[in-house]
């Protein structure tokens, strides 16, 4: 279709194309660009490697650390000059090139054009974390464990090749890089929770920071790396304050609203989040706003939440519209009573068990209910999902008679929890919106006039979809089919192309 050498000709081809049927050639072009970038990156690594080796010969064999540091600088500098890349990008490519030598399956998928450079780097970082805990990797000498005399020859039941296979399987799914990273993190934590705790502490020592640096036009940039719970707390409080104070007619961008909300939360003089809609009677969120303390900080309960009561509450009542404003506890944890599944922090994702333990006293805890198949990788069991047939197309989940609640439009709290725990995110392809922020959509439409005839309120007929994707679903550009394993196949009725999303 394209010459790739004649821009004028290729431009003419582009303007002559219709809009239909170009998805496939566009995907081919994208794959080609990834294949080309993979080769460029690996060649950059070779350039760097050669410069590194030259430098080692040139430098006298003195202090090893210094010599290696200089050699690495020479490598990155040479890549930068030869390829016309910034030092930062040259450094990233050089390091990725080194890491790719260790992981042949990821390297091949990258060369085949299956992965963007960023997605490959997500896989590489997880594979490195997993291989750190794999037997044979250099570890700090530990005090001998009296219970296991053969510490020198640990069991080798988690070879890193398995990790690459599973990681590549996860990478094939139509998920964002963020969702992929979370799934891989869950995997790494499940392999060795103690090592994950150590890695988290090490990460904190290396990267935790608040950098406040001057931008232009009278602005300053704030760039921070903080523990997940701090970030979740701040994000929730900012969102709650905006919801309480600002109505839809406020002319500011959401970004501007967040800036004022954050400043108000910090008690910055003059920063007070007031709706600018111009309506004196603006009540964005009913009477709730009056419950807020005057300084703008959302109320935080002074007493410990009664977790037992809360659990009962969650199980028995319908969801309230907005619990974020007056949280019973700052955080919500999803825990597995059996201790197999990796704990999750709402608003972040998988966290190591020690991290969950640290947040335990100040969190609402949701216990995992559904007992899905669990393998050595925690909940992430890769099975032959192609074998799962579609569910009953009537939306009745194979039931002859409606189970309790099936004819009620709004799912019970129990059903909602169950679906949020199994699905984690919006089930539309390429969306990373957390399930607890999504609508619960009836895949086969609920019939308010005759609930018995329409789709029922059952796990087999309900999937979380974020608001924009919920609307997209109604445009019917991609049609969903739920399967018995809760995978959902989205079919484009024009091209027949299918994308499959999975519960966790
Ligand atoms: Zn307003
Ligand atoms: Zn979505």
């Amino acid at each position: 279709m394209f010459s790739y050498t004649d821009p004028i000709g290729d431009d003419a081809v582009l303007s002559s194309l219709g809009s239909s049927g170009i998805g496939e050639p566009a995907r081919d072009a994208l794959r080609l660009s990834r294949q080309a970038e993979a080769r460029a990156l690996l060649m950059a690594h070779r350039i760097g490697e050669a410069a590194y080796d030259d430098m080692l010969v040139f430098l006298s064999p003195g202090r090893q650390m210094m010599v290696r540091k200089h050699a690495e600088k020479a490598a990155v500098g040479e890549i930068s000059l030869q390829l016309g890349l910034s030092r930062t990008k040259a450094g990233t490519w050089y390091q990725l090139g080194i890491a790719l030598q260790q992981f042949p399956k990821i390297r091949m998928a990258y060369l085949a054009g299956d992965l963007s450079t960023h997605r490959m780097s997500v896989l590489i970082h997880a594979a490195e974390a997993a291989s750190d805990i794999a037997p044979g990797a250099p570890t700090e000498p530990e005090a001998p464990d009296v219970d296991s005399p053969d510490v020198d020859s640990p069991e080798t039941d988690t070879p890193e090749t398995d990790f690459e296979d599973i990681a590549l399987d996860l990478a094939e799914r139509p998920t964002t890089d963020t969702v992929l990273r979370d799934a891989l993190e869950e995997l790494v934590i499940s392999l060795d929770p103690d090592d994950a705790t150590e890695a988290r502490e090490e990460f904190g020592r290396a990267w935790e920071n608040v950098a406040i640096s001057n931008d232009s036009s009278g602005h300053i940039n704030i760039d921070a790396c903080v523990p997940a719970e701090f970030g979740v707390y701040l994000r929730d409080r900012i969102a709650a304050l905006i919801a309480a104070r600002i109505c839809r007619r406020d002319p500011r961008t959401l970004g501007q609203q967040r800036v004022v909300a954050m400043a108000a939360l910090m008690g910055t003089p003059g920063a007070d989040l007031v709706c600018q809609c111009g309506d004196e009677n603006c009540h964005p969120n009913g009477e709730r706003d009056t419950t807020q303390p005057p300084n703008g900080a959302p109320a935080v309960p002074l007493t410990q939440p009664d977790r037992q009561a809360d659990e009962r509450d969650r199980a028995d009542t319908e969801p309230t519209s907005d619990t974020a404003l007056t949280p019973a506890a700052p955080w919500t944890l999803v825990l597995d009573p059996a201790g197999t599944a990796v704990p999750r922090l709402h608003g972040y994702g998988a966290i190591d068990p020690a991290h969950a333990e640290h947040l335990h006293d100040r969190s609402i805890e949701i216990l995992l209910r559904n007992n899905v198949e669990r393998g050595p990788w925690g909940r992430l069991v890769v099975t032959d999902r192609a074998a799962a047939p579609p569910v009953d197309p009537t939306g009745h989940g194979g039931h002859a008679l409606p189970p309790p609640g099936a004819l009620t439009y709004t799912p019970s709290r129990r059903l909602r929890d169950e679906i949020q725990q199994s699905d984690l995110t919006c089930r539309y392809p390429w969306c990373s919106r957390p399930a607890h922020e999504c609508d619960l959509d009836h895949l086969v439409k609920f019939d308010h006039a005759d609930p018995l005839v329409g789709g029922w309120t059952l796990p087999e007929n309900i999937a979380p979809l974020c608001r924009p994707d919920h609307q997209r679903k109604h445009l019917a550009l991609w049609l969903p089919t739920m399967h018995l394993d809760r995978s959902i196949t989205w079919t484009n009725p024009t091209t027949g192309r299918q994308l499959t999303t999975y519960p966790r």
Side-chain angles (χ1 to χ4, degrees), residues 90 163 165:
F163 186 89
D165 286 334

Side-chain angles (χ1 to χ4, degrees), residues 396-417:
H396 295 177
H399 298 275
L401 292 168
L407 302 184
T408 307
Y409 177 69
T410 308
S412 65
R413 181 81 230 184
R414 190 187 178 85
L415 179 57
R416 175 176 286 264
D417 277 357

Side-chain angles (χ1 to χ4, degrees), residues 75 92 111 118-119 161 171 180 200 203 217 248 263 298 341 366 379 393 444 446:
T92 307
L111 282 166
H118 187 262
R119 205 164 177 82
T161 46
L180 174 63
R200 169 168 54 85
F203 191 98
S217 299
R248 284 169 178 273
I366 299 174
R379 282 173 62 86
V444 177
F446 187 87

Side-chain angles (χ1 to χ4, degrees), residues 245-251 274-284:
R245 301 284 183 82
I246 302 291
C247 80
R248 284 169 178 273
R249 286 162 295 163
D250 185 278
V274 179
C275 191
Q276 293 181 355
C277 66
D279 183 350
E280 280 185 22
N281 299 314
C282 170
H283 289 299

Side-chain angles (χ1 to χ4, degrees), residues 33-346:
S33 77
R34 286 171 177 166
Q35 290 169 341
E37 182 157 306
R39 281 151 182 80
L41 185 145
L42 287 162
M43 283 192 281
H45 168 246
R46 290 295 295 276
I47 290 168
E49 211 177 30
Y52 185 97
D53 291 344
D54 287 352
M55 203 62 182
L56 278 193
V57 174
F58 176 74
L59 292 163
S60 56
R63 287 166 298 168
Q64 275 304 305
M65 278 299 283
M66 282 296 283
V67 169
R68 258 184 270 137
K69 224 171 162 183
H70 279 298
E72 199 173 304
K73 274 194 175 160
V76 171
E78 190 58 17
I79 295 169
S80 164
L81 263 64
Q82 291 238 20
L83 272 65
L85 299 174
S86 72
R87 299 291 159 92
T88 310
K89 185 156 183 177
T92 307
W93 277 25
Y94 180 57
Q95 295 301 337
L96 285 170
I98 293 172
L100 279 167
Q101 306 311 310
Q102 261 185 282
F103 303 105
K105 290 177 182 175
I106 295 172
R107 191 168 74 241
M108 289 311 136
Y110 183 47
L111 282 166
D114 295 344
L115 305 164
S116 69
T117 297
H118 187 262
R119 205 164 177 82
M120 174 275 286
S121 76
V122 169
L123 291 184
I124 284 290
H125 290 141
E128 283 183 323
S131 69
D132 279 351
I133 41 190
T139 49
E140 296 289 316
E142 286 175 356
D145 188 340
V146 283
D147 291 333
S148 52
D150 57 346
V151 277
D152 292 328
S153 56
E155 291 293 309
T156 53
D157 56 349
T158 51
E160 63 194 38
T161 46
D162 283 350
F163 186 89
E164 279 191 86
D165 286 334
I166 293 179
L168 285 167
D169 183 76
L170 290 170
E172 267 179 36
R173 299 177 181 185
T175 56
T176 61
D177 291 355
T178 315
V179 169
L180 174 63
R181 180 165 39 211
D182 178 54
L184 291 168
E185 198 153 310
E186 184 168 354
L187 204 55
V188 170
I189 294 169
S190 74
L191 282 172
D192 190 337
D194 293 339
D195 192 86
T197 303
E198 228 172 83
R200 169 168 54 85
E201 286 162 359
E202 199 176 301
F203 191 98
R205 281 190 292 273
W207 301 108
E208 273 181 20
N209 192 17
V210 177
I212 302 177
S213 55
N214 293 356
D215 204 326
S216 58
S217 299
H219 280 73
I220 276 181
N221 259 306
I222 303 178
D223 190 3
C225 177
V226 301
E229 64 270 28
F230 292 5
V232 167
Y233 186 81
L234 180 60
R235 189 166 55 203
D236 287 356
R237 296 287 73 71
I238 287 174
L241 192 58
I242 290 172
R245 301 284 183 82
I246 302 291
C247 80
R248 284 169 178 273
R249 286 162 295 163
D250 185 278
R252 287 168 292 186
T253 65
L254 183 57
Q256 289 179 303
Q257 294 171 1
R258 285 185 184 135
V259 167
V260 181
M262 187 178 78
L265 288 171
M266 292 186 300
T268 311
D272 188 16
L273 191 63
V274 179
C275 191
Q276 293 181 355
C277 66
D279 183 350
E280 280 185 22
N281 299 314
C282 170
H283 289 299
N285 213 2
E287 276 82 51
R288 280 178 199 257
D289 201 14
T290 60
T291 66
Q292 298 304 304
N295 67 356
V300 175
L302 297 172
T303 52
Q304 279 292 323
D306 179 351
R307 251 186 252 111
Q308 292 291 328
D310 190 72
E311 273 295 295
R312 252 181 282 125
D313 207 38
R314 283 176 163 273
D316 298 337
T317 62
E318 294 301 310
T320 54
S321 62
D322 182 6
T323 51
L325 199 70
T326 50
W331 298 291
T332 302
L333 295 172
V334 181
L335 302 173
D336 178 10
T340 313
V342 171
R344 299 189 68 81
L345 168 63
H346 258 209

